[in-house]
Amino acid sequence: MTKKRARELGIPLTGITGKNNAITDVCGIEVGYSTVIYGTPDDYTGPGSAFARTGVTAILPRGKQHSAVFVGRHDLNGNGELTGTHWLDDSGLMHGPVLITNTNSVGIVRDTTSKWMIDNHFYFPYVNNGQPVDGVGYFYPVVGETWDGLLNDINGFHIKPEHALEALNNAHAGAIAEGNVGGGTGMICHDFKGGTGTASRIVSTEAGEFTLGVLVQANHGMRDTFQICGIPLKDEFGPETMPVINTFAPKPGTGSIIVILATDAPLLPWQLSKLTKRVPIGIGLLGAYGDNGSGDIFLAFSTANENAYSLGISKIDMLSDEIIDPLYIATVEAVEEAVLNALCAAETMEGRDHNLVQALPQDQLLAILKKYGKIK
């Protein structure tokens, strides 16, 4: 059957989505990918083989123009990496794009992003005696990761500068791909093929209507606790859908999820941090609990307040905490749907050592939902 996104498949989901049901529904945001797939499983003979199943995802908060956005973050479980966080926490500002890749490629992606920002003047220059100094500025690229070592030759370090540049330069608005793309290429979710997923919500508040978008790199969870619409799925899918791992099998639950939230609502850093603290509810609805071996790392930014950063006084708008609850609800809804979209879009993949991870079988899932009366 033709692959469908979660909502198109008929999974009952709440909330009103944006046009593309994607993070790019937040005006100005662009997303780009570099998907690195080459070689056959027989080509993998050890680290450095001519074999890869990995990639890079880039999120540009205001497209290809330098800017600063208010930012907040939260870690549910910190067994992972997100660079630049000390300054995010202290300043409440993010000065560049967000990239996501595999665990061993954070360094090359970060360094390449730094060069891209310099080459494209994608930063605020250092000011000395009231004058900007050309070529001098400080910024800390934000790069997150999840581990794709069961399907990818992760110790072969196959991500190169050109892949990070491809993701940055190809970033665009509108509809974006999901599943086995970008940084999500080699990822596994609840023992099915996982990867990149996205969703959005249109949010009505007393101050007006806003958009909230989510992008996830889903490499987390285990089959034993996986559920959809409250239906425990541990015994609903047959053993033939379980991963075939011919190398070591990590402890169940070992994995990670990176969640990037974006909104055009005028939120300040502490409010954005409060948004990210609602992300665990969304992933928890599907049966993920932030296991000890998992890196569950969440970041949120607001594209409102274009003058968030200045050298003097910035006059900014702020949505009252008293009317922010609809954004909390939208966060939970969109995170759940983004993970489901990653699962629905992903394709079965055979990786290193002939490790095989099956895609979520949509026809079987529909039958299960019908069995429990969730759909007709």
Side-chain angles (χ1 to χ4, degrees):
M1 62 185 296
T2 303
K3 283 278 187 178
K4 295 181 178 180
R5 303 180 79 190
R7 190 173 288 256
E8 298 165 346
L9 188 63
I11 297 174
L13 294 161
T14 55
I16 300 171
T17 74
K19 177 181 178 181
N20 298 295
N21 195 13
I23 193 172
T24 47
D25 288 330
V26 179
C27 185
I29 292 180
E30 297 182 0
V31 173
Y33 301 120
S34 177
T35 301
V36 184
I37 297 178
Y38 54 82
T40 69
D42 288 333
D43 293 324
Y44 178 77
T45 57
S49 300
F51 176 86
R53 302 286 188 271
T54 192
V56 182
T57 299
I59 303 168
L60 281 63
R62 290 202 179 102
K64 297 180 183 67
Q65 62 174 351
H66 78 271
S67 62
V69 293
F70 286 128
V71 66
R73 68 179 191 91
H74 175 63
D75 304 336
L76 176 63
N77 196 68
N79 194 353
E81 178 66 280
L82 187 71
T83 67
T85 55
H86 300 293
W87 190 235
L88 297 184
D89 292 345
D90 275 4
S91 70
L93 292 166
M94 183 171 68
H95 286 255
V98 181
L99 288 92
I100 321 174
T101 186
N102 74 62
T103 305
N104 288 4
S105 298
V106 170
I108 191 71
V109 171
R110 183 209 175 279
D111 292 350
T112 303
T113 302
S114 291
K115 188 175 188 308
W116 180 86
M117 292 175 71
I118 292 168
D119 290 346
N120 290 278
H121 298 281
F122 203 88
Y123 61 93
F124 292 96
Y126 179 76
V127 174
N128 184 40
N129 294 325
Q131 297 297 318
V133 181
D134 187 48
V136 179
Y138 65 92
F139 45 84
Y140 304 96
V142 176
V143 181
E145 54 77 29
T146 60
W147 188 80
D148 57 14
L150 287 177
L151 293 171
N152 176 46
D153 174 24
I154 191 169
N155 292 337
F157 295 88
H158 294 280
I159 294 296
K160 307 300 181 186
E162 56 264 30
H163 300 126
L165 291 173
E166 179 184 21
L168 288 162
N169 292 327
N170 288 349
H172 61 86
I176 56 176
E178 296 172 292
N180 301 3
V181 294
T185 298
M187 304 304 168
I188 302 168
C189 183
H190 288 288
D191 289 321
F192 288 110
K193 184 65 188 67
T196 303
T198 190
S200 70
R201 290 294 185 273
I202 304 299
V203 184
S204 294
T205 74
E206 295 175 34
E209 189 174 271
F210 302 103
T211 302
L212 180 140
V214 173
L215 185 140
V216 305
Q217 185 161 297
N219 189 53
H220 67 294
M222 54 184 169
R223 187 72 59 89
D224 281 356
T225 59
F226 186 34
Q227 62 181 28
I228 295 178
C229 299
I231 304 169
L233 298 175
K234 175 182 177 181
D235 299 319
E236 294 294 336
F237 293 103
E240 72 278 0
T241 66
M242 289 298 293
V244 177
I245 305 300
N246 297 307
T247 53
F248 77 99
K251 178 183 176 182
T254 301
S256 298
I257 179 170
I258 301 292
V259 179
I260 307 301
L261 293 167
T263 184
D264 57 7
L267 303 183
L268 297 193
W270 82 83
Q271 296 175 308
L272 292 161
S273 293
K274 289 168 72 175
L275 274 191
T276 61
K277 291 175 182 177
R278 273 66 183 179
V279 170
I281 304 173
I283 63 175
L285 289 174
L286 299 173
Y289 298 98
D291 304 80
N292 182 66
S294 189
D296 309 296
I297 299 173
F298 320 130
L299 179 147
F301 63 84
S302 168
T303 60
N305 290 308
E306 293 189 9
N307 63 335
Y309 172 79
S310 75
L311 296 178
I313 296 175
S314 293
K315 294 184 178 181
I316 58 176
D317 294 323
M318 185 190 82
L319 194 68
S320 170
D321 280 346
E322 298 300 320
I323 57 173
I324 203 173
D325 285 346
L327 286 160
Y328 293 156
I329 297 170
T331 296
V332 174
E333 292 176 344
V335 168
E336 179 191 23
E337 186 165 358
V339 174
L340 286 170
N341 282 338
L343 284 162
C344 287
E347 301 281 356
T348 296
M349 179 173 284
E350 187 175 10
R352 55 163 288 189
D353 297 302
H354 293 274
N355 293 334
L356 179 67
V357 183
Q358 300 282 348
L360 178 69
Q362 294 194 351
D363 52 351
Q364 291 185 44
L365 177 59
L366 284 176
I368 294 166
L369 293 174
K370 290 177 181 177
K371 171 183 170 182
Y372 286 89
K374 298 300 181 180
I375 60 173
K376 294 181 179 180

